[in-house]
């Protein structure tokens, strides 16, 4: 493998591992916000416990996901300085807005939410989780603006050695963004819904004493996953319009992209079939149908896989361009990189991110296995907190 292939592989590995965290954060945030809204307006304690349990999973995933995002930033500076030199003025703007606005706000309000249990007034505490959710989606928006610019550098002109942004509105109204963003939102909701469904099915299959808790969780998971799969499939097909216009032949002559696309569509169609035509119509009885729970559990990893395949299709199909029609991947690579250097950072990044993904899975699985009684997040004074402490979470 030459140095360019190694650098590309490094980006693919770190991007994919990072997105595993992102897609779950985006999917879980609205679920937790909906649960807390139900608790605030209906006052049913089961919704409070649901908010704390799924909120704890959200927080674990968010905390570990941040570290994987930092690796992405390092990587731009390390391997792709040609991109910064040629298009930094354009590409840097949405990334900076994402970091400053959405990301800082999101972390701040998440902190308020985590430590605000039993301290903030209920309405204000609820507002915090909704702001976290909205800012998470604002982050996704700006990242997708940056990515869509790579697919179609709208609103920019070439000034010889660099690109200049002449129309910010065109950058935001990029047709490669308008269909892709709802597709990614749908993918995230499907992922979040599937994780809640899978974990609830696992607990119900084990005949948990928390029947009401996991029955309600399973049903909410099915509803959110249904919304997600409809958006993902509808806007998935809608993406062929802009792709055909700006990147004709993207999937015809690029086997890797075609393969990624094909398998993603297969998974999407299967999930659509199962979620919309099997799980949703029987939502009332599903919690009691023990034979169906293993099927729901087995579905859990599929949206993650489809999301990785989606990125593979979108990015591999753009080769040899990094910025479509303007800057090749070879020209974007940092000068002076050697195979040894890239191999070293590839091994280091893969090890760190891989470890984080495993730790994330193990911690989330532990929370799921121990159930709502052992959750520390939002545990009030008294028996709740003592029980959580005794179970060491
Ligand atoms: C029938 C179902 C689906 C269709 C027709 C479809 C279609 C597409 C197309 C055409 C692209 C590439 C766009 C480009 O190259 O610019 C794409 C990308 C992507 N897909 Fe799908 N997809 C489907 C299901 C799914 C599912 C189930 C997920 C995940 C849960 C998913 C996640 C993604 C992601 C993350 C991307 C990359 C970002 C983007 O371009 O939007 N897709 N999809």
């Amino acid at each position: 493998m030459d140095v360019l292939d190694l650098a590309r592989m490094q980006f693919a590995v770190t991007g994919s591992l990072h997105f595993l965290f992102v897609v779950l954060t985006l999917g879980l945030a609205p679920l937790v916000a909906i649960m807390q809204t139900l608790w605030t307006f209906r006052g049913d304690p089961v919704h409070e416990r649901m908010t704390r349990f799924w909120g704890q999973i959200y927080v674990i995933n968010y905390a570990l996901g941040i570290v994987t995002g930092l690796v992405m930033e390092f990587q731009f500076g390390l391997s792709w300085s040609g991109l910064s030199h040629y298009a930094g003025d354009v590409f840097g703007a949405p990334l900076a807005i994402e970091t400053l606005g959405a990301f800082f706000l999101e972390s701040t309000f998440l902190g308020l939410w985590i430590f605000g249990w039993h301290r903030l007034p209920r309405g204000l505490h609820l507002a915090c989780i909704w702001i976290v959710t909205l800012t998470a989606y604002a982050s996704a928006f700006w990242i997708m603006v940056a990515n869509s610019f790579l697919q179609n550098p709208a609103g920019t002109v070439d000034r010889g050695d660099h690109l200049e942004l002449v129309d910010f509105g065109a950058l935001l109204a990029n047709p490669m963004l308008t269909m892709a963003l709802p597709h990614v939102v749908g993918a995230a909701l499907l992922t979040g819904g599937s994780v809640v469904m899978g974990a609830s099915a696992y607990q119900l299959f084990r005949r948990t004493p928390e029947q009401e808790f996991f029955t309600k969780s399973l049903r909410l998971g099915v509803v959110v996953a249904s919304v997600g799969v409809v958006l993902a499939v509808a806007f998935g097909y809608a993406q062929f319009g802009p792709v055909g216009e700006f990147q004709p032949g993207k999937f015809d002559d690029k086997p890797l992209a075609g393969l990624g696309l094909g398998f993603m569509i297969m998974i999407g169609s299967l999930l659509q079939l199962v979620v919309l035509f099997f799980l949703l119509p029987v939502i009332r009885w599903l919690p009691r149908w023990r034979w169906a729970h293993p099927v729901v559990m087995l579905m859990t990893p599929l949206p993650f896989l489809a999301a990785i395949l989606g990125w593979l299709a979108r990015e591999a199909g753009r080769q040899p361009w990094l910025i479509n029609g303007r800057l090749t991947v070879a020209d974007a690579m940092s000068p002076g990189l050697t195979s040894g250097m890239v191999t070293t950072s590839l091994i280091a990044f893969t090890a760190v991110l891989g470890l984080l993904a495993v730790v994330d899975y193990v911690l989330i699985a532990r929370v799921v296995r121990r159930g709502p009684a052992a959750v520390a997040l939002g545990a009030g004074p008294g028996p709740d907190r003592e029980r959580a402490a005794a179970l060491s979470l």
Side-chain angles (χ1 to χ4, degrees), residues 87 114 197 214 238 287 320:
I114 293 171
M197 272 162 40
F214 286 109

Side-chain angles (χ1 to χ4, degrees), residues 97-159:
I97 300 175
E98 190 259 345
T99 309
L100 290 174
F103 186 67
F104 280 1
L105 275 177
E106 187 180 350
S107 316
T108 307
F109 279 92
L110 184 61
L112 283 171
W113 185 72
I114 293 171
F115 298 106
W117 285 88
H118 314 293
R119 292 186 179 90
L120 288 176
R122 269 205 193 179
L124 214 58
H125 194 231
L126 176 67
C128 288
I129 192 68
W130 276 111
I131 295 174
V132 168
T133 306
L134 293 178
T135 48
Y137 280 82
S139 279
F141 170 77
W142 289 113
I143 294 295
M144 289 299 291
V145 168
N147 178 268
S148 303
F149 154 77
L150 302 181
Q151 310 294 336
N152 169 41
T156 60
V157 285
D158 183 87
R159 300 282 185 222

Side-chain angles (χ1 to χ4, degrees), residues 39-60:
W39 170 47
T40 307
F41 288 100
R42 293 197 188 157
D44 186 346
V46 76
H47 289 134
E48 183 202 358
R49 298 180 70 230
M50 281 165 69
T51 310
R52 290 176 41 217
F53 178 77
W54 300 107
Q56 172 120 13
I57 292 173
Y58 172 85
V59 169
I60 291 171

Side-chain angles (χ1 to χ4, degrees), residues 19 23 144 147 151 176 179-181 183-184 186-188 190-191 229 232-240 243 247 250-251 261 264-269 271-272 302-315 317:
F19 197 65
V23 78
M144 289 299 291
N147 178 268
Q151 310 294 336
M176 287 301 284
M179 298 300 156
L181 184 66
H183 185 58
V184 171
L190 175 60
T191 309
V229 83
V233 172
F235 285 98
Y237 284 113
Q239 283 198 84
F240 285 113
V243 170
Q247 298 174 335
K250 183 167 191 176
F251 306 115
L261 181 81
M264 173 184 53
I265 293 181
M266 270 166 56
I267 294 176
S269 309
L271 289 176
Q272 181 189 31
L302 292 183
F304 290 99
L305 186 61
I308 302 298
L309 292 169
W311 282 114
L312 187 74
R314 185 154 162 112
E315 303 305 305

